[in-house]
Every structure is written in C-alpha cells, then in structure tokens.
Amino acid sequence: MAGRTARLMLLAGAAALASGSQGDREPVYRDCVFLCEERNCSGGALKHFRSRQPIYMSLAGWTCWDDCKYECMWVTVGLYLQEGHRVPQFHGKWPFSRFLFFQEPASAVASFLNGLASLVMLCRYRTSVPASSPMYPTCVAFALVSLNAWFWSTVFHTRDTDLTEKMDYFCASTVILHSIYLCCVRTVGLQRPTVASAFRALLLLMLTAHVSYLSLIRFDYGYNLMANVAIGLVNVLWWLAWCLWNWRLPHVHKCMVVVLLLQGLSLLELLDFPPLFWVLDAHAIWHISTIPVHVLFFSFLEDDSLYLLKESKAKFKID
C-alpha cells in the first residue's frame, strides 16, 4: 500500500538523475566504454562475443554494449577506491555485482519473495473465505494486482530497461489505486455499490490518463512523483481514518500496524549507501522487510472478510 508510494517517490528522484551520475560522467568510464565497443561489438569480434555469451544472458537481453558498460563500471570503481574516493553511482544507480543475469540480485530475489508471499496468502484467503463474503471479489482482485506488480518489480530488478522500468512504475501505481478502491468498497461500497462502481470508473480513467501521458507524450519523472505522492496520501489517510473509526473491531489493529509499519520501513530508503558486498543496498533491505508486512495485511483481509460474512448472515437471519 503506502510503502509502494514511498518507493515510487525515491525511485523517481533517482531516475531523474539517471541521465548522468558521477560515475558515468567520468572520462575514464566513457573512454573505456568507447574502446570496448570499438574492440568487441562489431564484425568478427561481435560474433565471437555472441558465441561465448551464456544463453541465459542473451535470453535476458544482455548485449555487448551492456557488457562493456558493466566491465567499465568496475574499472572506474576500482580507480575510485584506489584513490580513496567514495564509490560513485552510474546512470542513477549504485554498482551491483551481477549474478547470472540478475542486475540487482538482492532486490530481484526480495521482490520475488514478496510476490510469493502474496500468492501464498491469496491461496490461504481463497481456502478460508467463502466466495459469498461481501469483500471476496475485491480482495482477490487486489491480490492479483499485487502479484502482477511484484512480478514486474522482479523483472525490473533483474533487467533494467525502459520497458521494465515503466511497467514497474505503472504496476506500482495500480496497486496504490486498487488499495484506495479496496478501502472505498470497505467504507461505503458495501452499503452503496453504485458509489463504489462510479469511483472505480474514475480510478480506471485516472490510471488510463496517467499511463497514456507517460507512455505516449513523455515520461515526466516530476509529474509521476507528484501524482503518486497524491494518491499515496489519499490511500494512507483513508485507511487510517477507517481504522480509527472502527478501532473496536478485534482485527483492525492488523491494518493499523501495516499502515504504520510501511511508513516507518520506507525510511530505510533514505539510507542511501553503496551496496554491502556489492549486492545488498537500502532498497533491497526495504524490499526484504516488507515481506511479513504483506502477510499481515492479507491476514487482516481474511479476518475482515470472515467478520463481514458473519455479520451479513446474522442480518439475514434477523430479516
């Protein structure tokens, strides 16, 4: 929920710098890449590179030029460390040690584990909660949207391209919007389904306009940042208000803890430091820390759905 907003905010700031960081502005890096391309990425040398490149690297889209940038990045990092300077960033990112075809191994694995946790909790939800529960379809849809977002987060951290970056951003925005819709249904939609339907149409229109602008006109990181901050604040405040209004319900504390934890854990992203062992950075630690939080939120959805089912059955008996 809110944690995705914090991530989007910090990613947007980093992406704004992606066109030029200290490391990739260094003449030694640029000269190294130029010479590497000239020597290895054309004619017979390119054929030789492709013949010795592992199949999994070619399937993941790693090119000769990408390999040159990767090798020259480490040449530049080595020179910085020899001179006693701080490790620089390259294209808006810290240098990561590549594992197989994983560009950011820790973040990719953590994203996968978040998705796996969501899948396990979805299966548990569908097993424990009857389809007749009022919130059942909305909660299942939210779980599927979350799974899709974590899939693209895994892909993005495995291989950073324009397409995977956009899919990561767009799917993260979709999760936040669906969380807002989930809260709307829980707050007013069960009593006034037409209101929830109209609000859902509005959110879909907003998402379509957002994605269309960033895809067809220009990818404006500043606009993307402000848009996600706005919907993130709506999401957080609405859920907190619902929790405070319904604090007597025995399971509401789970939702409150989730919202507060995600806000607190998002501060990990502010600890911007070079990756430990060239693998584990603050972003990866944040991803790892959110795994139990997602489990707790789905546990809340399960408890709340069963509570609503019980309430609806009791009301039916009275009527």
Side-chain angles (χ1 to χ4, degrees):
M1 295 192 309
R4 301 290 293 185
T5 311
R7 176 173 171 242
L8 282 165
M9 291 170 60
L10 291 153
L11 277 177
L17 300 173
S19 58
S21 298
Q22 183 177 348
D24 54 86
R25 284 197 299 263
E26 285 290 344
V28 63
Y29 171 80
R30 295 190 174 191
D31 291 345
C32 176
V33 172
F34 176 78
L35 291 174
C36 178
E37 282 186 274
E38 195 175 57
R39 188 182 305 118
N40 301 311
C41 300
S42 61
L46 179 59
K47 290 181 180 178
H48 176 68
F49 168 81
R50 289 173 175 168
S51 67
R52 63 183 175 84
Q53 185 186 35
I55 185 66
Y56 57 81
M57 292 292 287
S58 60
L59 289 175
W62 288 95
T63 65
C64 180
W65 184 55
D66 294 325
D67 219 50
C68 283
K69 290 194 296 180
Y70 180 77
E71 296 298 335
C72 292
M73 175 184 72
W74 289 114
V75 170
T76 308
V77 169
L79 292 174
Y80 264 72
L81 292 176
Q82 285 179 17
E83 297 295 326
H85 298 303
R86 190 170 183 265
V87 176
Q89 290 190 345
F90 295 81
H91 305 285
K93 291 190 172 189
W94 294 111
F96 288 92
S97 182
R98 191 172 62 194
F99 176 71
L100 298 177
F101 53 82
F102 293 98
Q103 191 168 350
E104 299 176 31
S107 290
V109 171
S111 295
F112 173 78
L113 291 177
N114 272 283
L116 182 61
S118 298
L119 178 61
V120 169
M121 294 307 291
L122 170 60
C123 294
R124 173 177 158 172
Y125 180 90
R126 296 185 66 179
T127 302
S128 304
V129 180
S132 56
S133 175
M135 288 294 293
Y136 183 90
T138 311
C139 289
V140 170
F142 175 75
L144 294 175
V145 168
S146 297
L147 276 172
N148 181 60
W150 286 117
F151 168 78
W152 283 107
S153 177
T154 303
V155 172
F156 171 63
H157 290 300
T158 299
R159 185 73 176 91
D160 181 359
T161 66
D162 287 340
L163 174 62
T164 60
E165 179 190 38
K166 287 178 179 178
M167 291 303 298
D168 184 48
Y169 273 96
F170 297 158
C171 293
S173 300
T174 305
V175 171
I176 302 171
L177 288 172
H178 203 288
S179 179
I180 293 174
Y181 174 66
L182 184 68
C183 192
C184 172
V185 173
R186 183 61 181 89
T187 307
V188 298
L190 297 178
Q191 296 77 29
R192 299 177 178 86
T194 54
V195 173
S197 297
F199 190 67
R200 178 179 59 197
L202 175 63
L203 292 178
L204 287 172
L205 183 61
M206 289 173 56
L207 179 63
T208 302
H210 178 71
V211 172
S212 298
Y213 173 74
L214 293 175
S215 301
L216 303 177
I217 300 178
R218 72 187 184 100
F219 201 90
D220 187 333
Y221 289 102
Y223 155 74
N224 189 56
L225 168 63
M226 295 306 297
N228 283 289
V229 168
I231 63 174
L233 286 175
V234 171
N235 184 46
V236 170
L237 294 175
W238 200 341
W239 274 112
L240 283 177
W242 181 86
C243 289
L244 293 173
W245 187 260
N246 296 276
W247 66 273
R248 287 190 176 88
L249 298 180
H251 54 276
V252 166
H253 69 280
K254 292 183 179 181
C255 184
M256 179 74 78
V257 169
V258 166
V259 175
L260 296 178
L261 268 180
L262 285 176
Q263 292 304 300
L265 291 173
S266 64
L267 296 176
L268 286 171
E269 292 272 32
L270 300 178
L271 303 176
D272 196 22
F273 55 83
L276 301 174
F277 309 109
W278 306 115
V279 172
L280 194 65
D281 68 335
H283 185 67
I285 295 172
W286 180 80
H287 268 322
I288 294 168
S289 68
T290 59
I291 297 171
V293 179
H294 290 296
V295 173
L296 184 61
F297 186 63
F298 279 103
S299 176
F300 156 74
L301 293 179
E302 179 183 334
D303 292 345
D304 194 53
S305 295
L306 291 173
Y307 165 78
L308 288 171
L309 180 62
K310 182 180 177 181
E311 287 289 300
S312 63
K313 286 182 177 179
K315 184 178 179 181
F316 178 76
K317 288 180 180 179
I318 294 173
D319 294 340

